[in-house]
Amino acid sequence: MKAYNRIISLFMAVTMSLSFVACKSDATGSTLPTESTKEEPTESSELEEWYTMCDSETFLCDENQAVKVYSYPKDNLLGLERIEFFEDRIITVFDQEINDASEWPIMGDSVKHWEVRLKPNEEEVEWDTLLACEDGKYIVASVVTDPNMDLDLLDYFMEIFYDEYPSGINSASISLEEDATVLDTRADRNWSDCMGEKFLQVFDHVIGRWESPQSTADSAWPPSSVGYGRINIGIFATIPSYEVWCMMCDFMEQNPELEEKYSISYFTKSLTFQDREMRDIKKGKYSSDGAEMYIICADEISEYTQEEWSQYFATYEDILGNDVMTKIQEAEIPDYVVDLGSNNEGKVIALNYENTTGAFIYRRSIAKEVFGSDNPAIVEEAIGAGTGSWEKFLQTAEIMKEKGYAMVPGLGDLYLVADKTVQVPWEVDGKFNLDAQREAYIDLAEKMIANDYTNDHEYMYEEWWHDVQDEGERKVFGWFGTQSMVNGVINNDYGNPSYFGDYAVCRPNMSFWQSGSWLFASRHILDDPDKKEFCAKFIEWVTLNTSEKSFQYGMASGTIYEDKWAVASGKVMSVADGSMRCLDGQNPYLIYIDAATSMSTTGICTYDKYFNEVFVEQVNKYAHGEISKEELMEELYQLAEKLGIEV
């Protein structure tokens, strides 16, 4: 379980930065992929001609004869550059150097056989496939051998399967389904499958760039259903399935009378896959085979509560009754949890069951050496806890450097705080805005790098892990994180590592929160009394019940999971024993309860996913002297213009 928690943390926090290169641009300089409809193709070549490897121009064909062409910035996992659709073939082009250098290459001398399948409406289409390496390009020519192929279905879904020693069958997929743009204007996917792990990367059409790769490894998942009744309750989750599995099992174990009438099943997918499910909700398909409940991560929640998706979810008042706000107050659910789960009408449509507020997590041994004490109150004074300022934090960073320590592993630790303390979002009334906290972060990052206060390691990457687990070249005093990060990063006593028990938690200089999982219910359950009855019991047990048999009490006391987890209910955390051996017996719950009372969500908006990655990337360049502050701001202005925001 502890190893699994580390995997969860890694999966949720990968923030790899990529440089992006445009293949084609529109009039404004946008790097959006180009989709062009060409002239009607001439009579196609005979199939046998494709088996004669000629020069690259002949092999690549005449692009002007293509029915449709997609072009992309090539800096993605596979080096994908373009896909050309003809009446009887598909040409897919990859950059050889990028592909060979990839951690998950799909090309090269080891490739033995290729097979391309198109799956329009899940029906496979037969192809003969050829592979060539010419002029620094890998070229896959897929020639149709199915006379019944419908040209209109060409761009639905393409999978490339290949044999590669020693790992056996691997695959690459490219999805071009236009309906997939419904959720977040994402349409095109590119991933490679290697040794059982899938790494998926999405091209975002709005800002014209590839997003950071995500691991979608799903090995060793538990069974996906509980109960044997004829009424099935589906849960769609964007969180790791083990958490959903524990939730389902414990609920049915406490309610055995429901097993004969109901069964619960879940399907857990990475965030990148949820667009298709939400498209089905919009089209009304949920009423027959969709999920009854949804668990959505905080990074995406505003799209479900503040935008068009909110109309497809039931309010907690409709499910639980008019006294739901009273129950929320009695359970002492923090305001930020309620605010993030409320729609534009102020109605609660989702609640988080975790406490995801942050703290400063520091090394006791270093605190004793530098301050003479490892008492949290002493460290809080040193970092300026509750001041809303970085002044004392920087002063202590200078002291740490003089003692031979880094204050934090890298800049990513600091942006976790800055991002969730903003008061004004990126866009206000159609105009671009740079909040004061983000502006302060620009100067903070420059000072941290210029003065060597960090080890300059990227958040959640290998060197960052070495730092927080006492394996780096220069020891690190601390880092910012939630209680779940305590479990995922340091609550690991395998081999009795040196850092186990040498950490403590204290209030941060600024209150912040990170991630979390909000539980929604589909609106269609209101039309089905049986499903509504079940979902009402389940939702209340997960989010509002504070008894010793509740889900949150089980999480907080360690009876559901092996580890103890901070929960949303302050009432539960105030009575549960949260002491942790990895913190030398400290109970951090009171710190997280206190932090939850001063959270702000006013700076959250649907544009965060576009601006944050660009902002972090450009600030990092500025901090290292690669660009000026004016150039940094110009990148943000250009992005704002692409998004239709006035600068």
Side-chain angles (χ1 to χ4, degrees):
M1 177 63 191
K2 293 176 180 178
Y4 182 83
N5 290 336
R6 172 168 174 167
I7 294 173
I8 293 175
S9 298
L10 275 168
F11 173 77
M12 295 177 62
V14 169
T15 53
M16 183 184 295
S17 298
L18 298 175
S19 59
F20 295 89
V21 180
C23 280
K24 296 190 178 181
S25 301
D26 59 19
T28 63
S30 169
T31 57
L32 300 178
T34 349
E35 177 192 336
S36 54
T37 302
K38 303 295 182 180
E39 303 173 1
E40 289 297 317
T42 60
E43 185 175 351
S44 60
S45 304
E46 295 296 327
L47 184 60
E48 55 266 21
E49 293 183 22
W50 287 90
Y51 289 90
T52 303
M53 297 301 177
C54 305
D55 57 77
S56 67
E57 182 179 358
T58 303
F59 191 79
L60 282 173
C61 302
D62 183 0
E63 182 178 319
N64 291 322
Q65 294 184 12
V67 178
K68 191 176 293 184
V69 176
Y70 291 89
S71 297
Y72 307 87
K74 64 183 180 180
D75 42 345
N76 52 79
L77 287 177
L78 305 180
L80 173 67
E81 289 189 18
R82 67 182 183 275
I83 308 170
E84 303 171 355
F85 289 93
F86 297 83
E87 275 195 334
D88 61 350
R89 59 194 179 276
I90 297 176
I91 302 296
T92 310
V93 181
F94 302 87
D95 182 275
Q96 179 184 0
E97 183 178 0
I98 294 176
N99 196 276
D100 287 345
S102 170
E103 187 173 352
W104 314 289
I106 66 165
M107 304 289 187
D109 296 336
S110 61
V111 174
K112 176 183 176 184
H113 168 71
W114 279 80
E115 176 188 354
V116 171
R117 302 176 186 175
L118 275 169
K119 291 188 173 183
N121 299 326
E122 302 304 321
E123 295 180 4
E124 294 183 3
V125 178
E126 296 181 4
W127 301 82
D128 279 350
T129 306
L130 302 172
L131 172 68
C133 179
E134 301 174 353
D135 296 338
K137 310 292 182 186
Y138 285 123
I139 306 162
V140 182
S142 312
V143 185
V144 65
T145 58
D146 186 342
N148 298 317
M149 178 61 194
D150 185 348
L151 185 63
D152 292 335
L153 298 176
L154 273 176
D155 60 352
Y156 179 73
F157 192 75
M158 181 173 68
E159 285 188 323
I160 306 172
F161 293 87
Y162 58 96
D163 296 330
E164 179 182 356
Y165 293 106
S167 56
I169 300 296
N170 294 314
S171 69
S173 283
I174 303 160
S175 170
L176 301 164
E177 183 187 357
E178 291 300 323
D179 280 349
T181 64
V182 172
L183 176 64
D184 51 12
T185 68
R186 298 169 178 172
D188 307 298
R189 302 172 186 153
N190 174 23
W191 52 274
S192 74
D193 182 355
C194 184
M195 296 298 287
E197 288 199 6
K198 299 174 183 177
F199 297 87
L200 181 144
Q201 193 171 11
V202 177
F203 188 87
D204 194 314
H205 286 280
V206 173
I207 60 175
R209 59 191 296 164
W210 293 95
E211 295 186 351
S212 301
Q214 296 185 40
S215 171
T216 60
D218 57 2
S219 59
W221 297 131
S224 59
S225 63
V226 183
Y228 47 87
R230 64 175 182 82
I231 302 175
N232 181 256
I233 304 296
I235 301 177
F236 171 79
T238 59
I239 59 174
S241 59
Y242 187 82
E243 184 172 316
V244 186
W245 173 246
C246 290
M247 192 184 296
M248 290 163 42
C249 287
D250 205 62
F251 177 75
M252 292 299 266
E253 183 177 329
Q254 292 189 34
N255 299 275
E257 73 282 1
L258 299 178
E259 288 188 334
E260 295 184 6
K261 185 177 181 179
Y262 298 96
S263 62
I264 317 178
S265 60
Y266 70 81
F267 38 111
T268 304
K269 305 175 184 178
S270 72
L271 283 174
T272 314
F273 282 115
Q274 72 192 48
D275 51 3
R276 181 173 298 180
E277 177 65 21
M278 298 314 296
R279 177 204 64 202
D280 288 345
I281 289 178
K282 186 177 181 181
K283 292 182 177 180
K285 295 182 181 179
Y286 56 73
S287 59
S288 58
D289 58 1
E292 280 65 45
M293 289 178 284
Y294 294 78
I295 301 177
I296 306 297
C297 289
D299 293 342
E300 302 286 323
I301 193 172
S302 62
E303 296 186 40
Y304 298 90
T305 58
Q306 301 300 307
E307 296 189 359
E308 61 175 321
W309 303 119
S310 63
Q311 64 183 302
Y312 304 111
F313 297 110
T315 69
Y316 270 39
E317 187 176 280
D318 289 336
I319 302 169
L320 302 177
N322 294 331
D323 61 344
V324 67
M325 294 307 297
T326 300
K327 293 179 179 179
I328 288 174
Q329 293 173 0
E330 290 175 348
E332 299 175 16
I333 305 298
D335 289 344
Y336 88 96
V337 171
V338 179
D339 292 342
L340 286 171
S342 298
N343 61 20
N344 286 326
E345 298 175 354
K347 299 290 186 179
V348 176
I349 61 174
L351 286 176
N352 184 13
Y353 47 85
E354 304 166 295
N355 179 302
T356 57
T357 57
F360 187 65
I361 305 165
Y362 64 92
R363 293 291 297 271
R364 290 180 178 274
S365 57
I366 295 177
K368 288 178 180 178
E369 176 189 342
V370 176
F371 308 126
S373 171
D374 64 352
N375 189 305
I378 300 297
V379 178
E380 288 177 353
E381 175 65 24
I383 67 171
T387 63
S389 167
W390 293 101
E391 183 179 355
K392 284 193 172 183
F393 186 89
L394 287 169
Q395 293 173 0
T396 298
E398 176 64 29
I399 296 172
M400 288 296 163
K401 187 183 77 168
E402 293 174 356
K403 294 289 186 177
Y405 300 114
M407 188 69 176
V408 291
L411 296 180
D413 299 86
L414 306 181
Y415 191 64
L416 286 177
V417 180
D419 181 47
K420 293 301 189 294
T421 56
V422 298
Q423 299 297 312
V424 184
W426 289 107
E427 177 269 337
V428 178
D429 297 329
K431 296 182 180 180
F432 173 80
N433 173 76
L434 183 65
D435 183 84
Q437 289 292 353
R438 290 192 172 105
E439 192 168 3
Y441 173 72
I442 297 174
D443 296 330
L444 173 68
E446 191 275 333
K447 291 177 182 178
M448 295 294 290
I449 295 299
N451 292 291
D452 195 30
Y453 292 157
T454 84
N455 283 343
D456 200 14
H457 291 157
E458 193 165 356
Y459 183 67
M460 294 299 290
Y461 277 69
E462 183 177 4
E463 290 178 326
W464 184 93
W465 282 95
H466 290 329
D467 283 341
V468 300
Q469 296 186 336
D470 200 30
E471 298 170 354
E473 292 185 6
R474 182 169 65 156
K475 291 182 181 294
V476 170
F477 177 46
W479 43 284
F480 292 95
T482 64
Q483 194 271 334
S484 64
M485 290 290 288
V486 172
N487 278 329
V489 177
I490 63 175
N491 192 16
N492 180 349
D493 56 1
Y494 300 119
N496 297 313
S498 59
Y499 59 84
F500 194 80
D502 190 37
Y503 270 111
V505 169
C506 73
R507 292 185 302 126
N509 54 323
M510 298 180 182
S511 297
F512 71 100
W513 59 274
Q514 179 187 7
S515 193
S517 303
W518 272 253
L519 178 59
F520 294 76
S522 291
R523 189 183 60 193
H524 77 272
I525 69 167
L526 302 179
D527 300 324
D528 188 321
D530 290 328
K531 289 187 175 182
K532 179 183 176 182
E533 178 186 17
F534 183 95
C535 291
K537 289 182 178 180
F538 186 86
I539 289 171
E540 183 164 13
W541 177 74
V542 171
T543 64
L544 295 173
N545 192 322
T546 60
S547 70
E548 292 188 0
K549 291 187 176 181
S550 69
F551 178 69
Q552 292 193 41
Y553 189 88
M555 288 183 67
S557 60
T559 59
I560 287 184
Y561 301 135
E562 182 179 346
D563 301 320
K564 299 174 181 179
W565 296 79
V567 295
S569 170
K571 183 176 181 179
V572 169
M573 284 209 295
S574 64
V575 297
D577 177 14
S579 59
M580 305 179 70
R581 290 197 304 120
C582 68
L583 299 178
D584 195 30
Q586 181 188 15
N587 179 353
Y589 286 172
L590 293 180
I591 291 173
Y592 288 107
I593 291 173
D594 179 70
T597 62
S598 55
M599 294 294 107
S600 172
T601 61
T602 60
I604 305 301
C605 73
T606 56
Y607 291 107
D608 287 346
K609 63 184 178 183
Y610 301 120
F611 280 107
N612 281 346
E613 184 173 352
V614 174
F615 181 68
V616 169
E617 179 183 301
Q618 297 304 314
V619 170
N620 187 62
K621 290 181 179 179
Y622 168 72
H624 288 84
E626 299 173 14
I627 62 173
S628 66
K629 186 177 291 187
E630 290 74 20
E631 290 172 315
L632 184 161
M633 294 303 301
E634 183 60 30
E635 286 290 329
L636 296 176
Y637 295 152
Q638 290 180 11
L639 175 57
E641 290 176 353
K642 287 183 182 180
L643 296 171
I645 300 173
E646 182 182 344
V647 176

